[in-house]
């Protein structure tokens, strides 16, 4: 691991101390988007924290706010240096401050794509097997800043057929926010809500929670048996959210962090599995242009 990272960083190792806004950075702060409980988020990213500390030579801290807004505000306010955002969270950050962060890398699926899906699901024993069967039932979104847990299904599910809205009491008996992906999965599994939406790459086997995503995380954590659940809806492909870096970071810090994360899958597959929420081919470069359509959708939704 150290040899690989050392090789990747050899070109920047002799650079002058890192300066941002005239000051050398003294610590590096990574924000972890919500979606599962804080402790699991911290555990899954501890290896990245340690590698970052080793790579940059400064204390590195992980922050796991209760909701997506906590990470968005940290990035907008400049108190976080890096995060893996969903597409809608990136859109929210960009719309609040276009100069706050820059997308640098994106997770690549096992088939080489970088899309994922919002997945609608219910308990198998509920008899619900489609959006049609959800009429009059309780439907759960995750976090209001989630792409797959709110933005995309709130636009696409009403397009499924005439008469569907996301207002409580119209088509669905009730529409509520659970707070995050893990909460939605647990709520459906426990029968607290009838159906909900979460994210997955949509590749591999349903029994595994697909190859990556919140369902895979829940299976790995022992929270659900996928044989108890059934898929009832799937969105069109959504562009995977970017890893972003604070724009005002020194250039050499950005280069080192991009090299570290880009090489993580090859250098430490177990660490990459935890960071990427399941199986992937690691991370590849991405730019702002990939998210223009999601930014437009988010703008339209807020008007």
């Amino acid at each position: 691991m150290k040899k690989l990272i050392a090789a990747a960083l050899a070109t920047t190792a002799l650079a002058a101390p890192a300066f941002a806004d005239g000051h050398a950075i003294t610590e590096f702060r990574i924000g972890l988007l919500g979606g599962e409980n804080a402790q699991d988020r911290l555990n899954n990213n501890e290896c990245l924290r340690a590698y970052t500390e080793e790579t940059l030579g400064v204390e590195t801290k992980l922050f796991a706010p209760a909701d997506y807004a906590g990470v968005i505000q940290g990035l907008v306010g400049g108190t976080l240096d890096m995060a893996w955002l969903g597409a809608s969270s990136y859109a929210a950050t960009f719309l609040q401050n276009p100069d706050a962060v820059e997308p640098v890398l994106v997770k690549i699926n096992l088939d080489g794509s970088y899309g994922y899906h919002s997945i609608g699901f219910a308990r198998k024993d509920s008899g619900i097997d489609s959006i049609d069967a959800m009429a009059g039932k309780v439907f759960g979104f995750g976090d209001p800043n989630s792409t797959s847990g709110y933005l995309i299904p709130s636009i696409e599910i009403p397009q499924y057929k005439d008469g569907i809205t996301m207002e409580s009491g119209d088509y669905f008996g009730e529409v509520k926010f659970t707070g995050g992906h893990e909460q939605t999965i647990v709520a459906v599994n426990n029968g607290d809500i009838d159906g909900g939406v979460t994210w997955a790459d949509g590749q591999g086997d349903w029994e595994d929670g697909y190859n990556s995503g919140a369902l895979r995380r829940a299976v790995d954590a022992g929270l659900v048996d996928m044989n108890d659940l059934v898929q009832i809806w799937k969105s069109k492909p959504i562009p995977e959210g970017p890893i972003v870096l604070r724009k005002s970071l020194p250039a050499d810090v950005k280069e080192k962090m991009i090299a570290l994360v880009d090489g993580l899958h090859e250098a430490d597959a177990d660490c990459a599995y935890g960071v990427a929420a399941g199986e992937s081919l690691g991370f590849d470069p991405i730019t702002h242009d990939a998210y223009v359509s999601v930014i437009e959708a988010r703008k339209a939704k807020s008007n």
Side-chain angles (χ1 to χ4, degrees), residues 27-34 36-54 56 58-66 70-71 74 79-84 217 243 257 260-261 264 271 274-275:
E27 65 176 12
F28 193 83
R29 300 147 304 191
I30 301 173
L32 305 176
L33 211 60
E36 64 180 333
N37 70 80
Q39 195 55 55
D40 283 352
R41 276 183 279 159
L42 294 169
N43 292 345
N44 283 321
N45 289 275
E46 169 56 26
C47 56
L48 177 62
R49 187 205 65 76
Y51 286 140
T52 301
E53 199 162 88
E54 182 184 320
L56 297 181
V58 296
E59 184 179 5
T60 300
K61 297 175 181 175
L62 300 176
F63 294 90
V71 174
T79 58
L80 291 175
D81 299 307
M82 173 177 159
W84 179 19
R217 283 263 209 242
I243 287 181
M257 288 311 299
L260 170 63
V261 178
L264 192 60
C271 180
V275 171

Side-chain angles (χ1 to χ4, degrees), residues 3-303:
K3 282 183 183 171
L4 277 164
I5 290 180
L9 303 180
T11 52
T12 56
L14 299 175
F19 284 89
D21 305 323
H23 300 283
I25 65 163
T26 55
E27 65 176 12
F28 193 83
R29 300 147 304 191
I30 301 173
L32 305 176
L33 211 60
E36 64 180 333
N37 70 80
Q39 195 55 55
D40 283 352
R41 276 183 279 159
L42 294 169
N43 292 345
N44 283 321
N45 289 275
E46 169 56 26
C47 56
L48 177 62
R49 187 205 65 76
Y51 286 140
T52 301
E53 199 162 88
E54 182 184 320
T55 300
L56 297 181
V58 296
E59 184 179 5
T60 300
K61 297 175 181 175
L62 300 176
F63 294 90
D67 58 14
Y68 285 36
V71 174
I72 294 167
Q73 292 313 314
L75 292 168
V76 170
T79 58
L80 291 175
D81 299 307
M82 173 177 159
W84 179 19
L85 297 177
S88 183
S89 301
Y90 171 65
T93 305
F94 177 82
L95 290 170
Q96 287 181 53
N97 181 357
D99 296 317
V101 300
E102 57 185 298
V104 290
L105 294 165
V106 70
K107 178 179 79 75
I108 302 299
N109 296 322
L110 293 181
D111 70 348
S113 66
Y114 67 91
Y116 69 106
H117 299 272
S118 174
I119 303 289
F121 64 103
R123 274 195 69 88
K124 192 178 281 184
D125 59 15
S126 69
I128 297 168
D129 58 1
S130 64
I131 294 295
D132 300 279
M134 277 293 294
K137 306 289 189 184
V138 180
F139 180 91
F141 286 126
D143 185 295
N145 283 304
S146 171
T147 320
S148 56
Y150 174 62
L151 179 65
I152 296 302
S154 76
I155 294 169
E156 289 191 16
I157 289 177
Q159 297 169 357
Y160 174 74
K161 67 178 183 180
D162 289 343
I164 298 183
T165 77
M166 303 317 287
E167 297 293 321
S168 286
D170 280 357
Y171 182 80
F172 300 104
E174 185 183 356
V175 178
K176 57 168 63 174
F177 284 95
T178 67
H181 291 297
E182 182 178 292
Q183 292 97 315
T184 304
I185 294 167
V186 170
V188 170
N189 194 52
N190 289 348
D192 299 330
I193 59 177
D194 298 301
V197 282
T198 188
W199 79 278
D201 60 4
Q203 299 179 20
D205 296 325
W206 174 256
E207 289 74 20
D208 298 329
Y210 290 123
N211 286 339
S212 67
L215 292 167
R216 182 61 170 256
R217 283 263 209 242
V219 169
D220 288 348
L223 293 174
V224 292
D225 180 341
M226 292 298 292
N227 294 306
D228 295 334
L229 303 176
V230 62
Q231 182 169 309
I232 63 172
W233 177 80
K234 183 167 116 174
S235 74
K236 297 170 191 162
I238 303 166
E240 180 64 79
I243 287 181
V244 300
L245 291 171
R246 182 161 58 87
K247 264 192 184 174
S248 58
L249 283 169
D252 69 316
V253 171
K254 291 180 189 175
E255 287 168 16
K256 287 177 181 180
M257 288 311 299
I258 291 168
L260 170 63
V261 178
D262 195 13
L264 192 60
H265 183 262
E266 187 181 346
D268 186 340
D270 287 344
C271 180
Y273 182 98
V275 171
E279 295 179 40
S280 73
L281 295 179
F283 295 85
D284 275 359
I286 197 78
T287 66
H288 171 82
D289 292 346
Y291 303 103
V292 171
S293 63
V294 177
I295 290 168
E296 291 309 310
R298 173 116 193 176
K299 265 205 278 214
K301 194 79 187 165
S302 59
N303 289 343

